[in-house]
């Protein structure tokens, strides 16, 4: 589902380094095919940057993940880029609202949460669920 002028829309939960890298890639490779419509981050400077760089409206800026997750579905895709211990609660809430998910690694810090997310994602098909992490190569190479 495309929810904004024929563009794939994104909500970002945690505008840190990885989420910023995903948005930079979208800007480079799909400049006219996406729109960032919501950002949740406790850092006011990051929210201001989201408004300036990605034209996120004031109504789409949230101080906490909980504030964003209380809203009806705001976008097609949610990028989860928060602290590892928060991934599970955020991903469950966003999956239940029907978001496709881009989740930075690790999926969870607990095995039972990992298995539960797997079950939930499978039950909600055709929701797309991607886990991303940086390739880490030691200085001496492989």
């Amino acid at each position: 589902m495309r929810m904004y002028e024929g563009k794939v829309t994104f909500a970002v939960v945690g505008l840190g380094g990885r989420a910023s890298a995903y948005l930079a890639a979208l800007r480079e490779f799909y400049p006219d095919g996406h729109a960032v419509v919501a950002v949740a981050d406790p850092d006011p400077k990051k929210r201001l940057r989201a408004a300036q760089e990605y034209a996120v409206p004031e109504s789409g800026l949230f101080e906490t993940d909980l504030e964003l997750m209380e809203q009806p579905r705001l976008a097609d895709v949610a990028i989860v880029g928060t602290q590892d211990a928060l991934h599970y609660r955020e991903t469950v809430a966003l999956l239940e609202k029907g978001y496709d998910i881009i989740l930075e690694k690790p999926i969870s810090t607990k095995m039972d949460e990992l298995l539960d997310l797997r079950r939930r994602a499978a039950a909600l098909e055709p929701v797309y669920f991607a886990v991303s992490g940086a390739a880490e190569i030691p200085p001496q190479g492989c």
Side-chain angles (χ1 to χ4, degrees):
M1 170 190 277
R2 294 187 176 170
M3 301 175 71
Y4 181 76
E5 297 178 4
K7 298 178 181 184
V8 177
T9 55
F10 290 82
V12 180
V13 183
L15 189 57
R18 288 223 177 105
S20 294
Y22 303 146
L23 295 179
L26 286 167
R27 180 179 281 164
E28 180 177 350
F29 296 109
Y30 304 101
D32 300 319
H34 77 284
V36 181
V37 297
V39 170
D41 197 286
D43 185 339
K45 292 177 184 174
K46 290 181 181 178
R47 292 194 308 275
L48 178 62
R49 181 171 66 101
Q52 293 173 339
E53 288 185 29
Y54 305 109
V56 177
E58 180 71 28
S59 62
L61 298 173
F62 303 94
E63 286 186 39
T64 70
D65 59 343
L66 297 173
E67 289 175 4
L68 185 146
M69 293 182 306
E70 288 173 356
Q71 307 302 311
R73 183 176 168 192
L74 300 172
D76 300 310
V77 181
I79 298 173
V80 179
T82 55
Q83 298 289 323
D84 297 350
L86 299 175
H87 288 181
Y88 175 76
R89 87 162 184 206
E90 293 162 344
T91 303
V92 166
L94 295 165
L95 280 172
E96 288 178 352
K97 295 212 180 232
Y99 285 91
D100 291 333
I101 305 288
I102 298 174
L103 174 61
E104 71 174 29
K105 68 173 181 73
I107 295 171
S108 175
T109 57
K110 299 176 182 172
M111 183 59 77
D112 61 326
E113 292 177 354
L114 172 68
L115 296 172
D116 183 55
L117 280 176
R118 178 181 176 207
R119 181 190 58 76
R120 288 173 186 267
L124 292 171
E125 291 185 79
V127 170
Y128 293 96
F129 190 99
V131 179
S132 180
E136 298 177 10
I137 302 173
Q140 67 273 19
C142 296

